[in-house]
């Protein structure tokens, strides 16, 4: 079930291409296959042009990415209060000066901006942003998206779509034609995590719900989810959850009797099964550890993954996509995936998306799960980030996969190019396509 563009990126078949690869040829072929295979990005915060201002792109957005804001406050004397009073362009100027002019941009997030500038042939050592601003301003948006996806080697982008986000809701309610490059993911954070603040929005949309979560409310939430499946055609439902260090001594009680637990167990999990939509659980974020720096102020916490064990055991007919933010949880997630084939580990999320950690986590996943996981998503918030995030993923994957094939050869099994192509397709397309039931 590969799209035409994947076929187009495939290595042309040569006679004799089934010959076993020599040990020293492995790395080159792995790099070539990774380069030529188009990936599906299963989680981003990007939007197509029809969503207007929600879709972020260009140098000012790249520089004011919350990853860079967090780093800015470590290298600048400016207070968060003063920073957040600036215009977007002034913020970008301040970040450029502090992180790119006065310091070497060595962190993952700063190097990313350098790589994007390079990809578009722009100066990386400019004293200001004039050239970059002119360049991005002069792009035709649709052509720019096309070029960015090509440079990133991605042909399908999965958005994050919260039906209770007022800005986004307007677009869905008046939805015109869909952009086939952008697929929806039905995000449930507002409903699941902040019910008291949002149930009235559901009432306003015609659902008979109440703050107390009566049985009727549960049924109405399910109706709401079914309606939004019709409207959005999402590939999965998703929520990001805190570290869940709740009731560690009585894990069978989790998910518990809290509002969140009841909505999850009585509405979302059954709806996910009935609607045949996987449920993505993104676990381990500690929101607003430092509210002064706003979006940059979220942190990480280790989770008790017995909650996931309970879910996978209790609901064998549900499919769960799971990513965990804490490095300390990675091993447990691999072990759980070996126990439950309704669990698909995905991505090295957020603070884990640095080459050294991606390498470590991915090596372990391959050693424990073979190719039965989804190695990465970009989590891009700004269009052009796709370029550096996927470039970095490919370069780490090249090392990890080459080592795996070399070990295989050493152990006595021949490796051919077609094996590598099949495995890369499975990791970066097939596992998700199968899980989400999409082409
Ligand atoms: O919850 C999420 O989807 C997170 O990825 C974001 O909220 C987070 O701000 C982010 O951009 C991480 O990369
Ligand atoms: Zn995200």
């Amino acid at each position: 079930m590969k799209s035409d563009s994947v076929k187009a990126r495939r290595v042309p078949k040569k006679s004799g291409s089934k010959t076993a690869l020599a040990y020293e040829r492995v790395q080159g072929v792995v790099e070539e296959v990774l380069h030529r295979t188009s990936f599906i990005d299963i989680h981003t915060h990007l939007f197509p042009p029809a969503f207007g201002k929600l879709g972020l792109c260009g140098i000012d957005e790249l520089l004011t990415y919350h990853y860079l804001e967090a780093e800015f406050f470590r290298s600048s004397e400016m207070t968060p209060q003063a920073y957040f009073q600036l215009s977007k362009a002034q913020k970008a100027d301040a970040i450029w000066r502090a992180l790119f002019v006065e310091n070497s941009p060595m962190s993952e997030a700063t190097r990313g901006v350098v790589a994007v500038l390079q990809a578009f042939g722009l100066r990386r050592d400019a004293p200001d942003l004039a050239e970059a601003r002119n360049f991005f301003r002069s792009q035709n948006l649709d052509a720019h998206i096309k070029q960015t996806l090509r440079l990133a080697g991605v042909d399908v982008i999965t958005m994050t779509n919260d039906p209770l986000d007022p800005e986004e809701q307007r677009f869905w309610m008046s939805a015109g034609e869909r952009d086939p490059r952008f697929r929806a993911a039905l995000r449930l954070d507002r409903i699941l995590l902040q019910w008291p603040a949002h149930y009235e929005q559901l009432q306003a949309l015609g659902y008979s719900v109440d703050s107390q979560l009566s049985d009727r409310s549960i049924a109405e939430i399910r109706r709401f989810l079914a309606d939004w499946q019709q409207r959005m055609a999402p590939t999965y439902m998703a929520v990001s959850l805190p570290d869940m260090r709740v009731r560690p001594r009585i894990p069978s009680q989790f998910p518990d009797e809290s509002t969140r637990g009841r909505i999850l167990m009585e509405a979302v999990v059954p709806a996910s099964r009935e609607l045949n939509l996987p449920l993505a659980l993104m676990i381990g974020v500690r929101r607003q550890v430092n509210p002064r720096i706003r979006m940059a102020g979220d942190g990480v916490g280790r989770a008790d993954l017995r909650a996931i064990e309970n879910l996978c055991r209790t609901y064998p007919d549900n499919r769960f996509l799971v990513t965990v933010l804490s490095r300390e949880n990675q091993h447990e997630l691999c072990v759980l995936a070996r126990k439950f084939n309704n669990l698909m580990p995905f991505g090295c999320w957020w603070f884990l998306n640095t080459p050294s950690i991606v390498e470590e986590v991915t090596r372990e996943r391959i050693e424990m799960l073979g190719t039965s996981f989804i190695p990465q998503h970009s989590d891009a918030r700004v269009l052009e980030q796709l370029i550096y995030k996927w470039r970095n993923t490919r370069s780490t994957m090249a090392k990890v996969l080459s080592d795996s094939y070399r070990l295989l050869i050493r152990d006595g099994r021949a490796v051919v190019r077609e094996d590598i192509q099949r495995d890369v397709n499975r990791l970066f397309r097939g596992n998700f396509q199968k899980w989400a039931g999409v082409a």
Side-chain angles (χ1 to χ4, degrees), residues 26 363 366-367 399-409 415:
V26 166
R363 278 188 198 284
I366 288 188
E367 284 164 359
K399 275 198 246 174
V400 176
L401 283 176
S402 302
D403 285 347
S404 305
Y405 291 119
R406 283 191 289 247
L407 285 172
L408 204 50
I409 294 173
V415 173

Side-chain angles (χ1 to χ4, degrees), residues 43 45 66-67 187 240 282 287 349-350 379 381:
H43 171 60
H45 297 264
H66 65 78
Y67 289 27
R187 185 76 174 227
S240 71
M282 305 174 65
R287 296 278 180 207
W349 179 26
W350 200 344
D379 231 313
R381 281 186 175 268

